[in-house]
Amino acid sequence: MQTMIGVIGGSGLYQIDGLEGASWVKVKTPWGKPSDEVLVGRLNGVAMAFLPRHGRGHVQSPSSVNYRANIDALKRLGCTDIVAVSAVGSLREDYVPGDFVIVDQYIDRSFAREKSFFGAGCVAHVGFAHPTCPRLGAAALRAAQDVGVKVHKTATYMAMEGPQFSTLAESRLYRLRGADVIGMTGMPEAKLAREAEMCYTCVAMVTDFDCWHPGHAAVDVAQVIATMGKNSGHARDLIARLPGLLGADRAPCPHGCDRALDHAIMTAPSQRDPELLAKLDAVAGRVLG
C-alpha cells in the first residue's frame, strides 16, 4: 500500500510549499461541500493532499466547517494518514505561546456539529480510548524536533464550540479538568478520521494563554494571528519532513487505526439503509463491500 499524507491546515496555514505537480482539485462528497478544494501533489516521492480547514481566506467558522465532507474528501482521494495543524490556547504555565504540541487526548465539549458518518440505518461504534495514532504522532514529534522548535510530546485538548473565546470561569474550570490546551476544531475531526479508518494526529501551535493567566491579557484575534504568523514557516518545515519519515510504502498501522471498523458495525445487513450505505462508500467501503 502507498502512503498518502493528508494535511488539514488550521488558522494561519492555508497552503504548503514545494509540491511537485501541484493542483487544486474539487472533490464531491455525499456529505456536502468540503471547506475548499484540495491541493494535491507529491513531496519527496510521497503523495500528499492539503485541505485548508477554514477555506482559503478563512471563510468557515469552527461550527460551520463541514467536518464530514472534509474527512470524506481526503479518504476519497486516497489519504492514509492525516496530520491536522491547529491553533490552540494554553491551559498550562509551561506550554507557552510559540510552542508546538503533539495532541494525544481530547475532551469534547462541542455540541453543534455532526459527529459521525453513521446513524439510523447503519449504527457503528468505533474504539476511541486513544484518539490519535501513536505512530503518526511520533513522526510529527520527530519532524518538529528536526525543525528545532520547542515541542511537547503529549497534551489533552479541550474542544469547545466557540466561536467566542472562553470566559474566565470556563478557562479555570478546564484547567481543573486536566486539559492542557484548548481549541475549537479538534472535534469531531478526530472522531471522523477514526471512523474513516485513517491514522490521525494533531500538531497544535500555542498562540496564547486563553484568559486564565494573571500575567497575560485575555486572548484576542490579533494575538493569535501574530503568533501564527511567526510559526507558520515552522509548521510548513515540519510538514515537509513527514514524507521522509513516513516513507512511500505503508505497512498496516500497528495500532489498528486502519481497521477501526472491523467489529464496529452493529446493524444487521438485512436492516441497513441503502441510502446511508451509498453515502458510506468511501469511509466504510472496506467493510461494507
Side-chain angles (χ1 to χ4, degrees):
M1 187 176 185
Q2 293 295 295
T3 299
M4 185 174 188
I5 304 170
V7 178
I8 301 177
S11 301
L13 186 64
Y14 304 108
Q15 64 179 13
I16 52 176
D17 304 320
L19 287 182
E20 300 171 5
S23 63
W24 289 94
V25 299
K26 185 178 293 186
V27 184
K28 292 183 178 180
T29 87
W31 310 97
K33 291 183 179 181
S35 295
D36 205 326
E37 295 179 338
V38 183
L39 181 66
V40 297
R42 301 186 74 84
L43 191 62
N44 298 326
V46 176
M48 296 192 73
F50 174 78
L51 175 62
R53 183 187 290 114
H54 298 282
R56 286 169 286 181
H58 206 107
V59 296
Q60 297 292 341
S61 78
S63 298
S64 69
V65 169
N66 190 337
Y67 295 93
R68 292 192 297 184
N70 286 353
I71 296 298
D72 180 280
L74 293 176
K75 179 75 173 186
R76 203 168 288 278
L77 286 170
C79 289
T80 55
D81 303 85
I82 294 179
V83 177
V85 181
S86 298
V88 295
S90 172
L91 297 172
R92 291 177 53 151
E93 191 85 45
D94 56 335
Y95 286 23
V96 305
D99 288 2
F100 280 57
V101 178
I102 308 301
V103 174
D104 64 334
Q105 283 294 333
Y106 290 89
I107 299 172
D108 188 5
R109 289 296 176 264
S110 63
F111 55 81
R113 310 167 190 191
E114 294 290 345
K115 299 190 178 186
S116 178
F117 291 110
F118 298 90
C122 191
V123 177
H125 304 281
V126 297
F128 205 59
H130 303 285
T132 63
C133 176
R135 175 192 64 90
L136 191 56
L141 175 64
R142 173 65 184 276
Q145 292 169 335
D146 289 347
V147 169
V149 297
K150 183 178 178 181
V151 58
H152 305 274
K153 65 180 181 180
T154 63
T156 295
Y157 179 124
M158 172 68 73
M160 63 181 292
E161 186 62 44
Q164 301 83 3
F165 294 120
S166 306
T167 67
L168 178 57
E170 288 169 337
S171 193
R172 289 170 173 169
L173 176 63
Y174 299 151
R175 279 168 46 80
L176 290 173
R177 288 184 173 181
D180 301 307
V181 296
I182 184 167
M184 301 179 188
T185 58
M187 286 292 174
E189 193 172 86
K191 290 178 176 177
L192 294 167
R194 178 60 52 82
E195 288 189 344
E197 299 191 317
M198 289 187 283
C199 293
Y200 179 96
T201 195
C202 173
V203 177
M205 295 183 284
V206 178
T207 60
D208 56 84
F209 275 114
D210 203 36
C211 62
W212 65 270
H213 200 298
H216 293 264
V219 59
D220 59 30
V221 170
Q223 181 181 358
V224 172
I225 292 174
T227 307
M228 288 297 298
K230 295 176 182 177
N231 269 344
S232 59
H234 293 314
R236 288 193 291 269
D237 289 344
L238 184 158
I239 291 166
R241 283 167 167 75
L242 291 174
L245 292 169
L246 295 175
D249 296 320
R250 188 179 189 280
C253 174
H255 308 285
C257 300
D258 52 3
R259 303 178 298 281
L261 294 176
D262 273 357
H263 306 290
I265 297 178
M266 301 291 291
T267 307
S270 63
Q271 298 300 310
R272 294 173 185 171
D273 177 11
E275 185 175 340
L276 179 53
L277 295 184
K279 296 174 71 173
L280 292 166
D281 64 328
V283 300
R286 184 186 70 84
V287 294
L288 292 175

